[in-house]
Amino acid sequence: MEKIDLDNLNSIPFLVTRDVYTKSYFDGETFSVLALNVFTYLSSLISLGLAFPFTFTFEKEYEVSHTFINGRNLYFDGRSHQLIGKYLLHLLLSIVTLGIYSFKLNINVTRWTYKHTYDVSKEIKEEYFTLLDSLNRKDLSDKEIKELTSKKDILEKNYDIRGESKFLPNFISNFINNIISKLITIVTLGILYPYALCYRQKFVINNTLITGKRLKFIGEWKSLYRKYIYWYLYAIATFGIYAFVINIKIKRWVSSNVTYLDDKKIEFNAN
């Protein structure tokens, strides 16, 4: 059995000091997002909703892969075959209960989405478990064990590889929050939509864990309101053409106002 090349392990790309106090953002291209939205809508419409698991997964994979939180690229490993069974069951139960059970679809899809969203790449996870396998070998010297254990501890501390991703609220609290945010928009005829959006995003994001770390929404509705008025007026000036871009603008704004509740710099010696 070959000895482990510790010099090679020292050169692994992810074992480098980096500062996580960088911006959060969404870098998806406007045209790509618009095309994806049209494709998703038409596919679901033509298939009478049966294509939802496939189009939703495809859309989320693009969206998540272009989202960064404090400089960390998010990763989505959900697959349509994991969702299709649950989705068809929801459709069946919704029909049986005359639509009542359909209210649970939103939170269940949200839970499934966040469950499969991480800020640690598949490659880093594979490297981590490679270290675990290496530590189980019987022919390691004390020096090798010490160095491999140190690298394992570094990854566990700074990447929270074993941490779970999840959406925490129960059905009732999520349902009430969602209804309130929609009512605010409807009652005010859309005038307070930025406030309703921030109210909803604060609830969703603040109650979400990504790879064991709790998120925090720091956006202020007044800041969004000024932008929203400008976008709305611009949409009028362009005879509604710019309206197709507003949702993307809002997505970028929301993403830029997401951070981790308790983040820290990664500190270790790669040598």
Side-chain angles (χ1 to χ4, degrees), residues 5-13 15-16 147 151 269-271:
D5 186 355
L6 292 176
D7 292 333
N8 184 53
L9 281 175
N10 283 333
S11 67
I12 291 176
L15 291 179
V16 293
E147 292 195 29
K151 294 176 188 300
N269 186 357
N271 296 319

Side-chain angles (χ1 to χ4, degrees), residues 12-23 25 68-75 118-121 124 154-155 157-161 211 213 260 263-270:
I12 291 176
F14 63 82
L15 291 179
V16 293
T17 304
R18 62 191 175 94
D19 185 355
V20 298
Y21 288 106
T22 51
K23 292 182 179 180
Y25 57 93
F68 295 76
I69 299 179
N70 290 12
R72 303 179 186 179
N73 195 183
L74 298 188
Y75 302 86
Y118 308 93
D119 67 355
V120 178
S121 70
I124 291 179
I154 286 169
L155 291 179
K157 176 183 178 181
N158 296 312
Y159 288 97
D160 300 313
I161 291 177
T211 323
K213 300 180 291 296
Y260 291 109
D263 209 346
K264 58 183 181 297
K265 290 185 178 181
I266 294 177
E267 299 175 353
F268 56 85
N269 186 357

Side-chain angles (χ1 to χ4, degrees), residues 29-31 33-35 37-38 41 231-232 234-236 238-251:
E29 296 181 357
T30 300
F31 179 78
V33 176
L34 286 174
N37 289 341
V38 171
Y41 174 77
W231 296 335
Y232 187 81
Y234 199 66
I236 295 176
T238 57
F239 301 99
I241 296 176
Y242 195 77
F244 294 102
V245 182
I246 292 180
N247 284 338
I248 302 174
K249 291 286 187 180
I250 291 175
K251 170 65 181 173

Side-chain angles (χ1 to χ4, degrees), residues 21 122 229 235:
Y21 288 106
K122 180 181 178 181
I229 293 298

